[in-house]
Short mmCIF file of all heavy atoms in Angstrom, two decimals:
data_model
loop_
_atom_site.label_atom_id
_atom_site.label_comp_id
_atom_site.label_asym_id
_atom_site.label_seq_id
_atom_site.Cartn_x
_atom_site.Cartn_y
_atom_site.Cartn_z
N ARG A 1 106.66 62.84 80.37
CA ARG A 1 106.58 62.68 81.80
C ARG A 1 105.70 63.78 82.36
O ARG A 1 105.82 64.93 81.98
CB ARG A 1 108.02 62.64 82.30
CG ARG A 1 108.30 63.34 83.53
CD ARG A 1 109.78 63.20 83.86
NE ARG A 1 110.02 64.11 84.93
CZ ARG A 1 111.15 64.58 85.27
NH1 ARG A 1 112.22 64.26 84.60
NH2 ARG A 1 111.29 65.39 86.26
N ASP A 2 104.85 63.43 83.26
CA ASP A 2 103.96 64.41 83.89
C ASP A 2 104.73 65.21 84.94
O ASP A 2 105.57 64.68 85.64
CB ASP A 2 102.77 63.73 84.55
CG ASP A 2 101.80 63.17 83.54
OD1 ASP A 2 101.74 63.72 82.43
OD2 ASP A 2 101.11 62.18 83.85
N ALA A 3 104.41 66.48 85.03
CA ALA A 3 105.04 67.36 86.01
C ALA A 3 103.98 67.88 86.96
O ALA A 3 102.84 68.10 86.57
CB ALA A 3 105.74 68.51 85.32
N MET A 4 104.37 68.06 88.19
CA MET A 4 103.48 68.66 89.18
C MET A 4 103.52 70.17 89.02
O MET A 4 104.57 70.74 88.79
CB MET A 4 103.96 68.30 90.57
CG MET A 4 103.00 67.53 91.36
SD MET A 4 103.79 67.13 92.93
CE MET A 4 102.33 66.97 93.85
N VAL A 5 102.36 70.80 89.12
CA VAL A 5 102.32 72.26 89.04
C VAL A 5 101.92 72.84 90.38
O VAL A 5 101.16 72.23 91.13
CB VAL A 5 101.37 72.75 87.92
CG1 VAL A 5 101.90 72.38 86.56
CG2 VAL A 5 99.98 72.19 88.10
N PHE A 6 102.46 73.99 90.68
CA PHE A 6 102.22 74.67 91.95
C PHE A 6 101.90 76.13 91.68
O PHE A 6 102.36 76.69 90.70
CB PHE A 6 103.47 74.63 92.85
CG PHE A 6 103.88 73.27 93.28
CD1 PHE A 6 104.80 72.52 92.56
CD2 PHE A 6 103.36 72.72 94.44
CE1 PHE A 6 105.20 71.27 92.96
CE2 PHE A 6 103.76 71.47 94.86
CZ PHE A 6 104.67 70.73 94.13
N PRO A 7 101.18 76.79 92.59
CA PRO A 7 101.07 78.24 92.50
C PRO A 7 102.45 78.85 92.78
O PRO A 7 103.29 78.23 93.42
CB PRO A 7 100.06 78.61 93.59
CG PRO A 7 100.06 77.45 94.52
CD PRO A 7 100.48 76.24 93.74
N LEU A 8 102.67 80.03 92.27
CA LEU A 8 104.00 80.64 92.38
C LEU A 8 103.90 82.05 92.93
O LEU A 8 103.00 82.81 92.56
CB LEU A 8 104.65 80.69 90.99
CG LEU A 8 106.01 81.34 90.88
CD1 LEU A 8 107.06 80.52 91.63
CD2 LEU A 8 106.40 81.51 89.42
N THR A 9 104.82 82.41 93.79
CA THR A 9 104.95 83.78 94.29
C THR A 9 106.11 84.44 93.57
O THR A 9 107.19 83.86 93.45
CB THR A 9 105.21 83.79 95.81
OG1 THR A 9 104.13 83.16 96.47
CG2 THR A 9 105.36 85.22 96.32
N LEU A 10 105.88 85.66 93.08
CA LEU A 10 106.94 86.46 92.47
C LEU A 10 107.17 87.69 93.34
O LEU A 10 106.22 88.34 93.78
CB LEU A 10 106.53 86.93 91.07
CG LEU A 10 106.31 85.87 90.02
CD1 LEU A 10 105.81 86.52 88.73
CD2 LEU A 10 107.59 85.09 89.75
N ASP A 11 108.40 87.99 93.61
CA ASP A 11 108.79 89.20 94.33
C ASP A 11 109.34 90.16 93.27
O ASP A 11 110.39 89.90 92.68
CB ASP A 11 109.86 88.85 95.36
CG ASP A 11 109.90 89.80 96.52
OD1 ASP A 11 109.06 90.72 96.57
OD2 ASP A 11 110.77 89.62 97.39
N VAL A 12 108.61 91.24 92.99
CA VAL A 12 108.94 92.16 91.91
C VAL A 12 109.44 93.48 92.52
O VAL A 12 108.74 94.08 93.35
CB VAL A 12 107.72 92.43 91.01
CG1 VAL A 12 108.08 93.36 89.87
CG2 VAL A 12 107.14 91.12 90.49
N HIS A 13 110.62 93.91 92.11
CA HIS A 13 111.21 95.16 92.61
C HIS A 13 111.28 96.17 91.47
O HIS A 13 111.79 95.87 90.40
CB HIS A 13 112.60 94.92 93.19
CG HIS A 13 112.58 94.07 94.41
ND1 HIS A 13 112.50 94.59 95.67
CD2 HIS A 13 112.57 92.72 94.56
CE1 HIS A 13 112.47 93.61 96.55
NE2 HIS A 13 112.51 92.46 95.89
N TYR A 14 110.78 97.36 91.75
CA TYR A 14 110.75 98.45 90.77
C TYR A 14 111.84 99.46 91.06
O TYR A 14 112.29 99.59 92.21
CB TYR A 14 109.39 99.16 90.79
CG TYR A 14 108.25 98.33 90.30
CD1 TYR A 14 107.52 97.54 91.17
CD2 TYR A 14 107.89 98.34 88.96
CE1 TYR A 14 106.45 96.76 90.71
CE2 TYR A 14 106.84 97.57 88.49
CZ TYR A 14 106.12 96.79 89.37
OH TYR A 14 105.08 96.02 88.92
N GLU A 15 112.22 100.21 90.03
CA GLU A 15 113.14 101.33 90.22
C GLU A 15 112.51 102.30 91.21
O GLU A 15 111.33 102.57 91.16
CB GLU A 15 113.35 102.01 88.87
CG GLU A 15 114.44 103.03 88.85
CD GLU A 15 114.66 103.54 87.45
OE1 GLU A 15 115.43 102.90 86.70
OE2 GLU A 15 114.04 104.57 87.09
N GLY A 16 113.29 102.80 92.13
CA GLY A 16 112.78 103.71 93.15
C GLY A 16 112.51 103.02 94.47
O GLY A 16 112.16 103.66 95.45
N GLY A 17 112.64 101.68 94.51
CA GLY A 17 112.53 100.97 95.77
C GLY A 17 111.22 100.26 96.05
O GLY A 17 111.13 99.49 97.00
N ARG A 18 110.19 100.52 95.28
CA ARG A 18 108.90 99.86 95.51
C ARG A 18 109.00 98.38 95.14
O ARG A 18 109.63 98.00 94.17
CB ARG A 18 107.82 100.53 94.66
CG ARG A 18 106.45 99.92 94.83
CD ARG A 18 105.40 100.73 94.03
NE ARG A 18 104.19 99.94 93.93
CZ ARG A 18 103.72 99.42 92.81
NH1 ARG A 18 104.33 99.62 91.66
NH2 ARG A 18 102.63 98.71 92.81
N SER A 19 108.37 97.52 95.96
CA SER A 19 108.32 96.10 95.63
C SER A 19 106.92 95.58 95.90
O SER A 19 106.20 96.10 96.75
CB SER A 19 109.36 95.31 96.43
OG SER A 19 109.06 95.35 97.80
N VAL A 20 106.54 94.56 95.14
CA VAL A 20 105.23 93.92 95.30
C VAL A 20 105.41 92.41 95.21
O VAL A 20 106.35 91.92 94.60
CB VAL A 20 104.21 94.40 94.24
CG1 VAL A 20 103.90 95.86 94.37
CG2 VAL A 20 104.68 94.07 92.84
N ARG A 21 104.49 91.72 95.86
CA ARG A 21 104.41 90.26 95.75
C ARG A 21 103.22 89.93 94.86
O ARG A 21 102.12 90.44 95.06
CB ARG A 21 104.22 89.62 97.12
CG ARG A 21 105.48 89.65 97.94
CD ARG A 21 105.83 88.26 98.35
NE ARG A 21 107.19 88.24 98.87
CZ ARG A 21 107.64 87.30 99.63
NH1 ARG A 21 106.85 86.31 99.98
NH2 ARG A 21 108.89 87.31 100.03
N VAL A 22 103.46 89.09 93.88
CA VAL A 22 102.42 88.70 92.94
C VAL A 22 102.21 87.20 93.07
O VAL A 22 103.18 86.43 93.06
CB VAL A 22 102.85 89.05 91.49
CG1 VAL A 22 101.79 88.60 90.50
CG2 VAL A 22 103.13 90.53 91.36
N GLN A 23 100.96 86.80 93.21
CA GLN A 23 100.62 85.37 93.28
C GLN A 23 100.16 84.90 91.91
O GLN A 23 99.22 85.46 91.35
CB GLN A 23 99.49 85.15 94.31
CG GLN A 23 99.82 85.64 95.71
CD GLN A 23 100.99 84.91 96.32
OE1 GLN A 23 101.19 83.72 96.14
NE2 GLN A 23 101.82 85.65 97.05
N VAL A 24 100.84 83.92 91.37
CA VAL A 24 100.48 83.32 90.08
C VAL A 24 99.76 82.01 90.40
O VAL A 24 100.37 81.10 90.97
CB VAL A 24 101.71 83.07 89.20
CG1 VAL A 24 101.30 82.49 87.86
CG2 VAL A 24 102.52 84.34 89.03
N PRO A 25 98.47 81.92 90.06
CA PRO A 25 97.71 80.72 90.43
C PRO A 25 98.16 79.49 89.64
O PRO A 25 98.73 79.60 88.54
CB PRO A 25 96.27 81.09 90.09
CG PRO A 25 96.38 82.13 89.05
CD PRO A 25 97.66 82.88 89.33
N VAL A 26 97.89 78.33 90.19
CA VAL A 26 98.27 77.07 89.55
C VAL A 26 97.65 76.95 88.16
O VAL A 26 98.24 76.36 87.26
CB VAL A 26 97.90 75.88 90.46
CG1 VAL A 26 96.41 75.69 90.56
CG2 VAL A 26 98.58 74.61 89.99
N GLU A 27 96.50 77.56 87.95
CA GLU A 27 95.84 77.49 86.65
C GLU A 27 96.68 78.11 85.53
O GLU A 27 96.53 77.77 84.36
CB GLU A 27 94.47 78.17 86.70
CG GLU A 27 93.45 77.47 87.55
CD GLU A 27 93.59 77.75 89.04
OE1 GLU A 27 94.35 78.65 89.43
OE2 GLU A 27 92.94 77.03 89.83
N ALA A 28 97.57 79.01 85.87
CA ALA A 28 98.43 79.65 84.87
C ALA A 28 99.37 78.63 84.22
O ALA A 28 99.81 78.82 83.10
CB ALA A 28 99.23 80.78 85.51
N TRP A 29 99.68 77.55 84.94
CA TRP A 29 100.65 76.56 84.45
C TRP A 29 99.98 75.30 83.90
O TRP A 29 100.67 74.47 83.31
CB TRP A 29 101.59 76.14 85.57
CG TRP A 29 102.20 77.30 86.27
CD1 TRP A 29 101.90 77.74 87.54
CD2 TRP A 29 103.19 78.19 85.78
NE1 TRP A 29 102.65 78.83 87.84
CE2 TRP A 29 103.46 79.14 86.77
CE3 TRP A 29 103.89 78.28 84.57
CZ2 TRP A 29 104.38 80.15 86.61
CZ3 TRP A 29 104.81 79.29 84.42
CH2 TRP A 29 105.06 80.22 85.43
N MET A 30 98.70 75.15 84.11
CA MET A 30 98.02 73.93 83.67
C MET A 30 98.13 73.78 82.16
O MET A 30 97.78 74.69 81.41
CB MET A 30 96.55 73.94 84.10
CG MET A 30 96.33 74.02 85.60
SD MET A 30 96.91 72.59 86.50
CE MET A 30 95.61 71.45 86.14
N ARG A 31 98.66 72.68 81.71
CA ARG A 31 98.78 72.34 80.29
C ARG A 31 99.62 73.34 79.50
O ARG A 31 99.45 73.50 78.31
CB ARG A 31 97.41 72.16 79.65
CG ARG A 31 96.64 70.97 80.21
CD ARG A 31 95.32 70.84 79.47
NE ARG A 31 94.20 70.51 80.30
CZ ARG A 31 93.54 71.30 81.15
NH1 ARG A 31 93.90 72.52 81.30
NH2 ARG A 31 92.53 70.88 81.83
N ARG A 32 100.50 74.06 80.17
CA ARG A 32 101.38 75.03 79.50
C ARG A 32 102.78 74.94 80.08
O ARG A 32 102.96 74.52 81.21
CB ARG A 32 100.87 76.46 79.70
CG ARG A 32 99.57 76.73 79.03
CD ARG A 32 99.17 78.16 79.26
NE ARG A 32 97.74 78.13 79.57
CZ ARG A 32 97.12 78.99 80.31
NH1 ARG A 32 97.76 79.98 80.86
NH2 ARG A 32 95.83 78.89 80.52
N THR A 33 103.74 75.39 79.32
CA THR A 33 105.12 75.43 79.83
C THR A 33 105.54 76.82 80.26
O THR A 33 106.62 77.01 80.79
CB THR A 33 106.10 74.93 78.76
OG1 THR A 33 105.96 75.74 77.60
CG2 THR A 33 105.85 73.47 78.42
N GLY A 34 104.69 77.82 80.03
CA GLY A 34 105.00 79.18 80.43
C GLY A 34 103.73 79.97 80.64
O GLY A 34 102.64 79.52 80.30
N ALA A 35 103.87 81.12 81.22
CA ALA A 35 102.72 81.98 81.49
C ALA A 35 103.14 83.44 81.37
O ALA A 35 104.28 83.79 81.64
CB ALA A 35 102.16 81.72 82.88
N VAL A 36 102.21 84.27 80.94
CA VAL A 36 102.43 85.72 80.92
C VAL A 36 101.77 86.28 82.17
O VAL A 36 100.59 86.04 82.41
CB VAL A 36 101.83 86.35 79.65
CG1 VAL A 36 101.93 87.86 79.70
CG2 VAL A 36 102.51 85.79 78.42
N VAL A 37 102.52 87.01 82.95
CA VAL A 37 102.01 87.59 84.20
C VAL A 37 101.97 89.10 84.04
O VAL A 37 103.03 89.75 83.97
CB VAL A 37 102.91 87.20 85.39
CG1 VAL A 37 102.38 87.82 86.68
CG2 VAL A 37 103.02 85.70 85.51
N PRO A 38 100.78 89.69 83.95
CA PRO A 38 100.71 91.15 83.82
C PRO A 38 101.11 91.83 85.13
O PRO A 38 100.69 91.41 86.21
CB PRO A 38 99.24 91.42 83.48
CG PRO A 38 98.50 90.21 83.92
CD PRO A 38 99.47 89.06 83.93
N LEU A 39 101.94 92.85 85.02
CA LEU A 39 102.39 93.60 86.19
C LEU A 39 102.03 95.06 85.98
O LEU A 39 102.17 95.60 84.89
CB LEU A 39 103.91 93.47 86.37
CG LEU A 39 104.42 92.06 86.60
CD1 LEU A 39 105.93 92.04 86.53
CD2 LEU A 39 103.93 91.52 87.93
N SER A 40 101.58 95.70 87.05
CA SER A 40 101.25 97.11 86.95
C SER A 40 102.35 97.93 87.61
O SER A 40 103.06 97.46 88.49
CB SER A 40 99.91 97.39 87.62
OG SER A 40 99.97 97.07 88.98
N GLY A 41 102.48 99.13 87.16
CA GLY A 41 103.48 100.03 87.73
C GLY A 41 103.99 100.96 86.65
O GLY A 41 104.04 100.61 85.48
N ASN A 42 104.37 102.15 87.05
CA ASN A 42 104.84 103.12 86.07
C ASN A 42 106.35 103.29 86.11
O ASN A 42 106.89 104.17 85.47
CB ASN A 42 104.14 104.47 86.26
CG ASN A 42 104.35 105.03 87.64
OD1 ASN A 42 104.97 104.40 88.49
ND2 ASN A 42 103.82 106.21 87.89
N LYS A 43 107.04 102.45 86.85
CA LYS A 43 108.50 102.49 86.93
C LYS A 43 109.06 101.20 86.31
O LYS A 43 108.41 100.17 86.31
CB LYS A 43 108.96 102.57 88.39
CG LYS A 43 108.48 103.77 89.15
CD LYS A 43 109.46 104.88 89.02
CE LYS A 43 109.01 106.04 89.90
NZ LYS A 43 109.91 107.13 89.87
N PRO A 44 110.30 101.25 85.82
CA PRO A 44 110.92 100.04 85.29
C PRO A 44 111.12 98.98 86.37
O PRO A 44 111.39 99.30 87.53
CB PRO A 44 112.27 100.53 84.76
CG PRO A 44 112.10 101.99 84.56
CD PRO A 44 111.12 102.44 85.61
N ILE A 45 111.01 97.73 85.98
CA ILE A 45 111.28 96.61 86.89
C ILE A 45 112.78 96.39 86.91
O ILE A 45 113.42 96.31 85.86
CB ILE A 45 110.54 95.35 86.42
CG1 ILE A 45 109.03 95.56 86.50
CG2 ILE A 45 110.97 94.13 87.24
CD1 ILE A 45 108.20 94.45 85.88
N VAL A 46 113.35 96.30 88.11
CA VAL A 46 114.79 96.08 88.23
C VAL A 46 115.15 94.65 88.58
O VAL A 46 116.25 94.18 88.26
CB VAL A 46 115.45 97.06 89.23
CG1 VAL A 46 115.33 98.49 88.73
CG2 VAL A 46 114.87 96.93 90.61
N SER A 47 114.22 93.92 89.23
CA SER A 47 114.49 92.51 89.52
C SER A 47 113.19 91.77 89.84
O SER A 47 112.22 92.37 90.29
CB SER A 47 115.47 92.35 90.69
OG SER A 47 114.89 92.79 91.89
N VAL A 48 113.23 90.46 89.57
CA VAL A 48 112.11 89.58 89.89
C VAL A 48 112.70 88.30 90.47
O VAL A 48 113.66 87.75 89.92
CB VAL A 48 111.28 89.24 88.64
CG1 VAL A 48 110.14 88.28 89.00
CG2 VAL A 48 110.73 90.49 87.98
N THR A 49 112.11 87.83 91.57
CA THR A 49 112.52 86.56 92.17
C THR A 49 111.31 85.65 92.25
O THR A 49 110.27 86.05 92.79
CB THR A 49 113.12 86.77 93.58
OG1 THR A 49 114.22 87.66 93.48
CG2 THR A 49 113.57 85.46 94.19
N ALA A 50 111.45 84.45 91.72
CA ALA A 50 110.40 83.44 91.82
C ALA A 50 110.62 82.64 93.10
O ALA A 50 111.76 82.30 93.44
CB ALA A 50 110.46 82.52 90.61
N ASP A 51 109.53 82.37 93.80
CA ASP A 51 109.58 81.59 95.05
C ASP A 51 110.59 82.17 96.04
O ASP A 51 111.51 81.49 96.48
CB ASP A 51 109.89 80.13 94.74
CG ASP A 51 109.76 79.22 95.95
OD1 ASP A 51 108.96 79.55 96.86
OD2 ASP A 51 110.45 78.19 96.00
N PRO A 52 110.43 83.45 96.41
CA PRO A 52 111.41 84.08 97.29
C PRO A 52 111.50 83.46 98.68
O PRO A 52 112.53 83.61 99.35
CB PRO A 52 110.93 85.54 97.38
CG PRO A 52 109.47 85.46 97.09
CD PRO A 52 109.31 84.34 96.10
N ASP A 53 110.47 82.75 99.11
CA ASP A 53 110.48 82.13 100.44
C ASP A 53 110.96 80.68 100.40
O ASP A 53 110.92 79.99 101.42
CB ASP A 53 109.08 82.20 101.06
CG ASP A 53 108.63 83.64 101.23
OD1 ASP A 53 109.46 84.49 101.59
OD2 ASP A 53 107.44 83.91 101.00
N HIS A 54 111.33 80.19 99.21
CA HIS A 54 111.80 78.82 99.03
C HIS A 54 110.77 77.81 99.53
O HIS A 54 111.09 76.82 100.18
CB HIS A 54 113.14 78.59 99.74
CG HIS A 54 114.22 79.47 99.23
ND1 HIS A 54 115.52 79.09 99.12
CD2 HIS A 54 114.22 80.75 98.77
CE1 HIS A 54 116.26 80.07 98.63
NE2 HIS A 54 115.46 81.10 98.42
N ALA A 55 109.51 78.05 99.18
CA ALA A 55 108.41 77.19 99.62
C ALA A 55 108.21 75.99 98.70
O ALA A 55 107.56 75.03 99.10
CB ALA A 55 107.12 78.00 99.69
N LEU A 56 108.75 76.05 97.49
CA LEU A 56 108.53 74.98 96.52
C LEU A 56 109.75 74.08 96.42
O LEU A 56 110.88 74.53 96.59
CB LEU A 56 108.24 75.57 95.13
CG LEU A 56 107.04 76.50 95.04
CD1 LEU A 56 106.93 77.08 93.64
CD2 LEU A 56 105.77 75.76 95.41
N PRO A 57 109.54 72.80 96.12
CA PRO A 57 110.69 71.93 95.90
C PRO A 57 111.39 72.34 94.60
O PRO A 57 110.75 72.49 93.56
CB PRO A 57 110.07 70.53 95.77
CG PRO A 57 108.64 70.75 95.43
CD PRO A 57 108.26 72.11 95.97
N ASP A 58 112.68 72.59 94.67
CA ASP A 58 113.42 73.07 93.51
C ASP A 58 114.87 72.65 93.66
O ASP A 58 115.54 73.04 94.61
CB ASP A 58 113.30 74.59 93.43
CG ASP A 58 113.86 75.18 92.16
OD1 ASP A 58 114.51 74.44 91.38
OD2 ASP A 58 113.67 76.38 91.94
N HIS A 59 115.37 71.87 92.73
CA HIS A 59 116.75 71.40 92.83
C HIS A 59 117.76 72.41 92.28
O HIS A 59 118.96 72.23 92.46
CB HIS A 59 116.92 70.05 92.13
CG HIS A 59 116.82 70.11 90.64
ND1 HIS A 59 115.63 70.16 89.99
CD2 HIS A 59 117.78 70.17 89.70
CE1 HIS A 59 115.85 70.23 88.70
NE2 HIS A 59 117.13 70.25 88.49
N ASP A 60 117.30 73.48 91.61
CA ASP A 60 118.20 74.49 91.06
C ASP A 60 117.61 75.88 91.26
O ASP A 60 116.90 76.39 90.41
CB ASP A 60 118.45 74.22 89.58
CG ASP A 60 119.41 75.22 88.95
OD1 ASP A 60 120.02 76.02 89.69
OD2 ASP A 60 119.55 75.20 87.73
N ARG A 61 117.90 76.49 92.37
CA ARG A 61 117.37 77.83 92.66
C ARG A 61 118.17 78.94 91.95
O ARG A 61 117.78 80.10 92.00
CB ARG A 61 117.37 78.08 94.16
CG ARG A 61 116.42 77.15 94.90
CD ARG A 61 116.22 77.55 96.34
NE ARG A 61 115.47 76.53 97.04
CZ ARG A 61 114.16 76.39 96.99
NH1 ARG A 61 113.44 77.19 96.26
NH2 ARG A 61 113.54 75.43 97.67
N SER A 62 119.22 78.59 91.27
CA SER A 62 120.04 79.60 90.60
C SER A 62 119.31 80.28 89.45
O SER A 62 119.70 81.36 89.02
CB SER A 62 121.35 78.99 90.08
OG SER A 62 121.09 78.10 89.00
N ASN A 63 118.24 79.68 88.95
CA ASN A 63 117.48 80.28 87.84
C ASN A 63 116.17 80.90 88.29
O ASN A 63 115.28 81.13 87.49
CB ASN A 63 117.24 79.25 86.73
CG ASN A 63 116.41 78.08 87.22
OD1 ASN A 63 116.00 78.01 88.38
ND2 ASN A 63 116.15 77.14 86.32
N ASN A 64 116.04 81.20 89.57
CA ASN A 64 114.81 81.76 90.12
C ASN A 64 114.79 83.29 90.18
O ASN A 64 113.82 83.87 90.63
CB ASN A 64 114.55 81.23 91.53
CG ASN A 64 114.13 79.78 91.53
OD1 ASN A 64 114.15 79.12 90.50
ND2 ASN A 64 113.76 79.28 92.69
N ALA A 65 115.86 83.93 89.73
CA ALA A 65 115.93 85.39 89.83
C ALA A 65 116.35 85.99 88.50
O ALA A 65 117.13 85.40 87.75
CB ALA A 65 116.89 85.81 90.93
N TRP A 66 115.80 87.17 88.22
CA TRP A 66 116.17 87.96 87.06
C TRP A 66 116.50 89.37 87.55
O TRP A 66 115.79 89.92 88.38
CB TRP A 66 115.02 88.01 86.05
CG TRP A 66 115.28 88.95 84.93
CD1 TRP A 66 115.94 88.69 83.78
CD2 TRP A 66 114.89 90.33 84.87
NE1 TRP A 66 116.01 89.81 82.99
CE2 TRP A 66 115.35 90.84 83.64
CE3 TRP A 66 114.21 91.18 85.73
CZ2 TRP A 66 115.16 92.15 83.25
CZ3 TRP A 66 114.00 92.50 85.34
CH2 TRP A 66 114.48 92.96 84.11
N SER A 67 117.56 89.92 87.01
CA SER A 67 117.92 91.29 87.33
C SER A 67 118.18 92.03 86.03
O SER A 67 118.89 91.53 85.15
CB SER A 67 119.19 91.29 88.19
OG SER A 67 119.56 92.62 88.50
N GLY A 68 117.59 93.20 85.91
CA GLY A 68 117.70 93.96 84.68
C GLY A 68 118.96 94.80 84.56
O GLY A 68 119.16 95.49 83.59
N GLY A 69 119.79 94.77 85.57
CA GLY A 69 120.97 95.61 85.56
C GLY A 69 122.11 94.93 84.96
O GLY A 69 123.08 95.23 84.45
#
């Protein structure tokens, strides 16, 4: 079955309070089931949220966040 692909926003939070928004272009998902997103920073990542603004159609938002704690 064909799936629709969309660009994705990631909300990345670092230890110490710094956060950044990363835009993952639609090309990252074309003909693939996953993508590697390089992140810069010298502090550990404490959490990442995919689609933090709920802009994409998603029937299960419970798997949109990761927390390292």
